[in-house]
Amino acid sequence: MPPNTTASSGQKPGKSGRKKGRKARLFLIVLVLAIIGGVAFGAYWSISTVRASFPQTKGSLTLDGLSGPVDVKRDGNGIPQIYASSDEDLFMAQGFVQAQDRFYEMDVRRHMTSGRLSEMFGKGQVKNDEFLRTLGWDRVAKKEYDTKLSASTKKYLQAYAKGVNAYLKGKDGKDISLEYAALGFTNDYKPQEWTPVDSVAWLKAMAWDLRGNMQEEIDRSLMTSRLGPKQIADLYPDYPYSRNKTIVQDGAYDSITKSYVQAGSGTASSTSTAGTGLTNNATAPSGSGLQSQLSGLYNVLDDLPTAVGVNGNGIGSNSWVVGGKHTITGKPLLANDPHLSASLPSVWYQMGLHCTSVSSKCQYDVSGYTFAGMPGVVIGHNQDIAWGMTNSGVDVTDLYLEKLTGDGYQYGGKVLPFTTRKETIKVAGAASKKIVVRETNNGPLLSDRDDELVKVGKKATVDPAAPDRGDGYGISLRWTALDPGNSMDAVFEMDKASDWPEFRKASASFDVPSQNLVYADTKGHIGYQLPGRIPIRGEGNGSLPSPGWDPEYNWTGYIKQAELPYEYDPKRGYIVTANQAVVDPDKYPYTLTTDWGYGTRSQRITDLIKTKIDGGGKISTDDMRQMQLDNSSEIAKLIVPKLLKIDVADKNVREAQKLLEGWDYTQDADSAAAAYFNATWRNILKLAFGNKLPKELRVKGQCLWVDPVDTTGPADEDQSVRECGQRDADQAQPDGGDRWFEVVRKTIDDENNDWWKSPKTRLDKATDTRDELFARAMKDARWELTAKLGKDIDTWSWGRLHRLFLKNQTLGTDGPAFLKYMLNRGPWKLSGGEATVNATGWNAAGGYGVVWVPSMRMVVNLGDLDKSKWINLSGASGHAYSAHYTDQTDKWAKGELLPWAFSEKAVDKKTSDTLVLKP
């Protein structure tokens, strides 16, 4: 076992350098043996070496470039609050402090955004680097920095980089983190200086993981190999506008719509086109060739490292704000908990940035959640306002099938030359690799990054209206984030905004990624704004790949800021955003997306607020916290009554069925009923839908006997072929998110619907009705849980199935077992579930393990900012044996929040360590 060490809060030990060196050499020798032999020699890990990278948190340090002293005050959780006398000193200190805690994480991120992971991790990352170089995030970030960002933003980015580099000065890798010590055995890699562009590029990674409906666009196209238009429409039902409220209900878009419809500038659509998208592109590409293209593209995308979250159906965030007339303080309360993939360390870094005296020289007094590697605060509050974010899900990406001809591509009846560039990928321990990136007028040619895609492109089947095949077809990507923008400006502008007009003005620069922004201020106002660069399309609606050769499918512009939906002080007194539809399409002239979340979480939050208000109660900070922890299963409320009506003959299955009697539909970690219901739900989805999907959407390694011709289900083995799934478990379908809630809701009362039919197997008869399929699912769930949890149902619990493991995102996932053991933590048994307010998401196709989580939780009290609360998924530190590596996780798992001091008096009261940075 590795020693149970904790971080020293004082200065790094400086005695006996020779003795320390001997210890370090001994540690390195032992680690080499451990890696080579695969033996967990953690007991030999040198304490002094582990602690060598811990930050100095007391005393003083000299930083060249500061204009005055800066105080860094850390509380008992290692969360820093920085006090400076100028903007540049404030952000320089932010860079220094974040590098102290998280530089390895920062370094990995910038290698990802620049397509240089191979420099750190070797040839296994070459394919990823090829794809990332093709996207060219760092190239776009450099253009933003050179041509788009304001002078003040550049100044702050430069100051931040100066602070990071002040930390790096004179340090070897092992002085920065133990991961560098491990990398040293296979690579002579040495960290390089930080640049302002490294910070800007991180916003591209954030935008990529929150990019909208590109996955749905691929999945719908892949489904056409086995399902018809009506069946696909069943699996992408219309948004339930009459049941689940949109974000904006009485906002300013009403007048905008009126003026635009009268002017003939837009036409509102009365229904969602998600279910009928297969016919929306008159000349859209189709056929088995396109399916293979998109399957190959999915495989490339699936291998990419996750930046901030799994991009899939069901993932999202919660944020809501309640006005003062409904709160016990008489001032607004604002809650936020973004749902992202679980990572270690957490993607968020808590921090306060305070000017000792707010003035034109020093303009900031802000606290909240930041990204390590990027200056400013992304979500949080200042002395006047608070804001939160959820992913809007608006469609800002389109895939195009491109007709390749010689050294060019066809467009508008002409052959245009590709825009090309050469890229050299350096590889640790191997020769460099050179690639050529080709771009069309729509964007980079993604299909160049996969040999199979190139072959398939030459055989792609398309509609008769398409050009002749010639040299084949390729796939390009149009994405708003590949055009330079101003999002970095927005971060600093929001951080110092003092009222609603200033906040809205700041949000106008937040072009990528498009987020739902909720707002509250100390004067009692609340608001919502949809920002972002959102395209207006010619033909098509973005739900399927479009023909790149047809100019009619071009983007024709972007929705203006003044035309984007917002609300300010709505009469109902609260605003809820949880990835539901922003507006009713009958009342808005533009198509924002065809793939909203279906509003299960948002409506549950709305109902909780209304129940409190309608009962005459006032909402407190703790009420907001309790709402964040709501574990109620909305799909269980629909299905369980029907499960209980089924006559079950098998006594063992009947024993499990009884668990559901009297169950309150709450998915607590210790609930046996929640475990059994979710297992039953998983098997319902598998039998009714999953086994009928094409192999490209099913779980890798799960094999079925299927009919080789068009069908909706597996056939008898004597006339079928064995076909195995190809998708990773955490991205397979049906994932069980609230789209599938809606699919089942629309089907459940049709007891003889074809979706309830499933074939016979060696052990089971065929099912023809809903109740027959439900009975089979209950039986399968009983024996699945018997295998996983034991025969005695008294020992069952949801938390035993639904566990969270936190993994270091580099060596903790692909490193030797010894390093994984050293770097990773868990498991934690969690409450909550899919499409639940307490959204500890799991993928029903792949299993019960936690895939994404509330990555942080906060509740801001605008009546008294010092009474606000917050928590992070892990801790402040990225150092594996720091006391602050995962010191918040136990409290996070229990639903607890930490006090969030803001005023200097409150901060001083909580301060454990103070470090003075001197010029």
Side-chain angles (χ1 to χ4, degrees):
M1 291 287 293
N4 185 18
T5 61
T6 57
S8 169
S9 62
Q11 298 183 38
K12 291 184 288 184
K15 296 180 182 179
S16 186
R18 231 178 304 165
K19 184 189 243 182
K20 181 177 173 185
R22 285 198 300 271
K23 285 185 178 180
R25 286 193 295 274
L26 175 61
F27 151 71
L28 294 177
I29 292 169
V30 170
L31 182 56
V32 171
L33 291 173
I35 292 174
I36 293 173
V39 180
F41 288 152
Y44 297 96
W45 195 284
S46 165
I47 293 175
S48 63
T49 301
V50 169
R51 287 184 172 176
S53 58
F54 289 178
Q56 178 177 336
T57 60
K58 287 183 177 179
S60 63
L61 286 171
T62 300
L63 260 61
D64 291 338
L66 287 177
S67 64
V70 176
D71 290 341
V72 181
K73 303 177 182 181
R74 292 179 183 260
D75 67 12
N77 292 100
I79 300 170
Q81 304 283 340
I82 299 175
Y83 291 84
S85 299
S86 73
D87 291 339
E88 291 92 328
D89 284 356
L90 193 63
F91 295 117
M92 181 178 177
Q94 183 182 16
F96 179 84
V97 171
Q98 287 191 339
Q100 280 187 305
D101 284 333
R102 298 279 195 96
F103 183 75
Y104 177 75
E105 173 196 1
M106 293 163 57
D107 200 18
V108 171
R109 282 182 181 174
R110 68 165 165 178
H111 278 76
M112 179 182 67
T113 57
S114 60
R116 294 166 49 221
L117 289 167
S118 301
E119 293 179 16
M120 295 184 75
F121 304 110
K123 59 184 180 181
Q125 294 297 322
V126 169
K127 285 288 186 183
N128 285 335
D129 283 347
E130 290 180 5
F131 188 81
L132 293 165
R133 293 286 184 95
T134 300
L135 291 175
W137 291 345
D138 61 329
R139 293 169 56 85
V140 181
K142 189 174 188 311
K143 289 179 183 178
E144 288 185 358
Y145 182 79
D146 290 342
T147 65
K148 288 287 188 178
L149 298 181
S150 68
S152 61
T153 293
K154 289 183 181 180
K155 183 170 61 176
Y156 301 156
L157 288 165
Q158 291 163 2
Y160 181 90
K162 189 187 298 183
V164 176
N165 294 328
Y167 167 76
L168 293 176
K169 188 176 181 180
K171 289 183 173 65
D172 293 327
K174 67 180 184 299
D175 299 322
I176 299 172
S177 80
L178 61 86
E179 288 95 333
Y180 287 120
L183 281 177
F185 301 118
T186 58
N187 188 354
D188 60 357
Y189 173 80
K190 291 180 174 55
Q192 300 172 346
E193 286 197 343
W194 193 263
T195 73
V197 173
D198 292 333
S199 296
V200 178
W202 174 237
L203 282 172
K204 301 302 172 187
M206 178 183 172
W208 177 253
D209 282 342
L210 302 173
R211 64 190 178 270
N213 77 334
M214 186 168 148
Q215 190 62 62
E216 286 79 7
E217 194 172 336
I218 292 173
D219 286 357
R220 269 190 293 269
S221 297
L222 292 172
M223 285 180 183
T224 60
S225 66
R226 296 201 67 81
L227 303 177
K230 172 61 170 63
Q231 294 163 323
I232 296 174
D234 287 346
L235 302 186
Y236 287 89
D238 291 344
Y239 184 90
Y241 290 98
S242 61
R243 187 175 70 253
N244 295 343
K245 299 295 185 182
T246 58
I247 297 173
V248 176
Q249 297 172 35
D250 47 275
Y253 72 87
D254 284 330
S255 60
I256 292 171
T257 301
K258 182 178 179 181
S259 64
Y260 271 81
V261 171
Q262 286 179 341
S265 299
T267 303
S269 171
S270 59
T271 59
S272 165
T273 56
T276 57
L278 288 171
T279 59
N280 70 12
N281 293 348
T283 60
S286 63
S288 59
L290 178 61
Q291 269 69 66
S292 300
Q293 282 260 18
L294 291 171
S295 179
L297 173 59
Y298 172 80
N299 291 334
V300 174
L301 297 178
D302 193 46
D303 286 338
L304 287 180
T306 301
V308 297
V310 178
N311 185 275
N313 201 330
I315 192 168
S317 305
N318 302 322
S319 190
W320 67 94
V321 60
V322 180
K325 68 180 180 180
H326 298 311
T327 70
I328 62 173
T329 66
K331 290 293 178 71
L333 295 170
L334 186 150
N336 196 187
D337 55 291
H339 307 154
L340 303 171
S341 61
S343 62
L344 185 60
S346 167
V347 68
W348 299 109
Y349 183 94
Q350 296 151 289
M351 186 174 240
L353 301 172
H354 309 278
C355 290
T356 52
S357 178
V358 177
S359 65
S360 58
K361 179 183 177 183
C362 197
Q363 305 171 74
Y364 294 89
D365 188 16
V366 61
S367 183
Y369 294 86
T370 72
F371 292 131
M374 202 178 89
V377 168
V378 178
I379 294 174
H381 70 82
N382 60 29
Q383 68 272 35
D384 297 310
I385 73 167
W387 66 97
M389 295 184 190
T390 63
N391 192 24
S392 71
V394 298
D395 188 1
V396 295
T397 60
D398 278 346
L399 294 172
Y400 286 87
L401 193 68
E402 304 284 2
K403 169 65 179 63
L404 310 183
T405 303
D407 293 328
Y409 61 98
Q410 196 165 128
Y411 177 75
K414 299 179 181 179
V415 176
L416 304 180
F418 292 110
T419 300
T420 63
R421 67 177 188 272
K422 295 180 180 179
E423 298 274 355
T424 300
I425 299 170
K426 296 179 181 179
V427 184
S432 297
K433 182 171 183 180
K434 295 183 178 181
I435 64 169
V436 175
V437 176
R438 299 190 294 177
E439 294 187 3
T440 72
N441 57 359
N442 291 311
L445 205 61
L446 303 185
S447 49
D448 279 355
R449 300 285 70 88
D450 187 275
D451 292 340
E452 192 63 26
L453 291 183
V454 175
K455 296 175 186 176
V456 173
K458 294 182 178 181
K459 301 178 180 180
T461 303
V462 295
D463 288 348
D468 291 338
R469 178 175 294 108
D471 294 332
Y473 294 88
I475 295 175
S476 66
L477 170 67
R478 183 77 193 271
W479 178 33
T480 55
L482 297 184
D483 297 323
N486 296 81
S487 292
M488 199 70 237
D489 285 340
V491 173
F492 296 112
E493 291 169 6
M494 284 193 292
D495 283 358
K496 64 181 180 181
S498 63
D499 56 23
W500 174 246
E502 288 184 3
F503 182 77
R504 283 200 76 208
K505 182 180 178 183
S507 73
S509 298
F510 204 88
D511 44 24
V512 177
S514 176
Q515 299 287 286
N516 295 312
L517 299 177
V518 293
Y519 166 94
D521 63 38
T522 56
K523 294 180 180 178
H525 302 292
I526 64 173
Y528 163 83
Q529 176 68 58
L530 176 68
R533 188 189 300 144
I534 302 172
I536 301 171
R537 293 169 174 84
E539 293 295 323
N541 63 7
S543 63
L544 285 171
S546 297
W549 53 82
D550 189 343
E552 295 297 318
Y553 288 83
N554 283 355
W555 292 358
T556 61
Y558 300 96
I559 304 174
K560 297 177 182 179
Q561 163 81 2
E563 301 165 10
L564 291 171
Y566 73 92
E567 275 192 330
Y568 184 61
D569 286 340
K571 293 179 181 178
R572 65 186 180 279
Y574 58 88
I575 301 170
V576 176
T577 82
N579 317 110
Q580 79 270 39
V582 172
V583 296
D584 189 321
D586 284 341
K587 301 176 181 178
Y588 192 68
Y590 300 111
T591 298
L592 297 173
T593 186
T594 60
D595 291 295
W596 300 115
Y598 281 78
T600 302
R601 282 180 288 109
S602 62
Q603 193 57 43
R604 175 62 178 170
I605 295 166
T606 297
D607 291 344
L608 291 170
I609 294 171
K610 281 178 59 63
T611 298
K612 186 77 172 182
I613 293 171
D614 293 347
K618 297 285 188 179
I619 294 173
S620 68
T621 299
D622 197 60
D623 289 331
M624 300 284 274
R625 180 187 71 87
Q626 292 287 355
M627 291 177 192
Q628 289 178 325
L629 303 178
D630 183 77
N631 293 319
S632 176
S633 171
E634 298 304 297
I635 192 63
K637 294 175 185 177
L638 177 70
I639 291 179
V640 166
K642 292 179 170 49
L643 295 177
L644 290 175
K645 290 180 180 179
I646 295 174
D647 185 16
V648 175
D650 187 314
K651 67 177 183 179
N652 293 297
V653 180
R654 173 60 185 146
E655 181 185 30
Q657 185 188 34
K658 284 183 178 180
L659 291 172
L660 303 178
E661 295 177 358
W663 178 44
D664 64 358
Y665 312 120
T666 299
Q667 300 171 101
D668 293 333
D670 60 0
S671 171
Y676 182 60
F677 169 75
N678 282 317
T680 301
W681 168 239
R682 178 175 185 247
N683 280 280
I684 288 172
L685 291 172
K686 178 181 178 182
L687 293 169
F689 309 104
N691 289 349
K692 300 163 189 175
L693 296 177
K695 62 182 182 295
E696 292 87 356
L697 274 69
R698 299 200 315 270
V699 176
K700 191 179 295 181
Q702 291 186 3
C703 303
L704 298 169
W705 290 93
V706 300
D707 193 325
V709 297
D710 291 343
T711 183
T712 61
D716 293 335
E717 293 188 14
D718 59 353
Q719 59 178 10
S720 59
V721 295
R722 190 168 184 265
E723 188 179 83
C724 298
Q726 298 179 349
R727 186 164 288 189
D728 283 351
D730 63 359
Q731 289 281 279
Q733 293 293 339
D735 61 18
D738 67 353
R739 172 165 67 89
W740 294 99
F741 289 15
E742 196 63 22
V743 169
V744 171
R745 186 183 296 276
K746 287 183 173 294
T747 311
I748 197 165
D749 290 330
D750 182 0
E751 298 184 33
N752 298 304
N753 192 288
D754 284 347
W755 288 110
W756 304 130
K757 300 180 186 301
S758 63
K760 68 173 183 171
T761 67
R762 185 170 54 87
L763 299 175
D764 295 287
K765 296 186 296 183
T767 69
D768 293 307
T769 68
R770 179 199 69 198
D771 285 353
E772 287 176 356
L773 186 139
F774 280 13
R776 183 164 156 187
M778 283 198 292
K779 186 192 78 170
D780 290 351
R782 170 42 158 143
W783 299 117
E784 181 186 0
L785 294 196
T786 298
K788 291 180 182 293
L789 302 179
K791 187 175 182 180
D792 183 359
I793 65 172
D794 290 337
T795 67
W796 290 3
S797 71
W798 177 224
R800 287 181 63 196
L801 289 173
H802 193 55
R803 300 187 299 167
L804 169 67
F805 291 85
L806 290 180
K807 296 181 180 179
N808 180 288
Q809 290 302 289
T810 55
L811 301 178
T813 56
D814 294 323
F818 168 75
L819 276 178
K820 291 180 182 179
Y821 180 76
M822 303 293 285
L823 297 173
N824 298 340
R825 299 291 184 269
W828 286 267
K829 298 176 181 179
L830 298 188
S831 301
E834 186 64 35
T836 303
V837 180
N838 184 17
T840 54
W842 56 287
N843 186 298
Y848 304 97
V850 177
V851 179
W852 54 78
V853 294
S855 55
M856 61 82 159
R857 297 187 184 102
M858 74 175 194
V859 180
V860 183
N861 183 332
L862 277 300
D864 185 345
L865 292 169
D866 286 330
K867 292 183 179 178
S868 301
K869 304 284 187 179
W870 63 353
I871 197 78
N872 204 353
L873 173 62
S874 59
S877 180
H879 300 288
Y881 285 89
S882 164
H884 307 307
Y885 191 48
T886 56
D887 61 333
Q888 297 185 52
T889 310
D890 284 345
K891 292 181 182 297
W892 172 92
K894 294 173 184 175
E896 298 177 15
L897 297 176
L898 298 173
W900 182 357
F902 179 69
S903 70
E904 188 167 9
K905 181 180 179 180
V907 168
D908 286 342
K909 188 175 180 180
K910 291 184 63 63
T911 295
S912 297
D913 298 346
T914 299
L915 174 68
V916 179
L917 303 177
K918 297 181 177 180

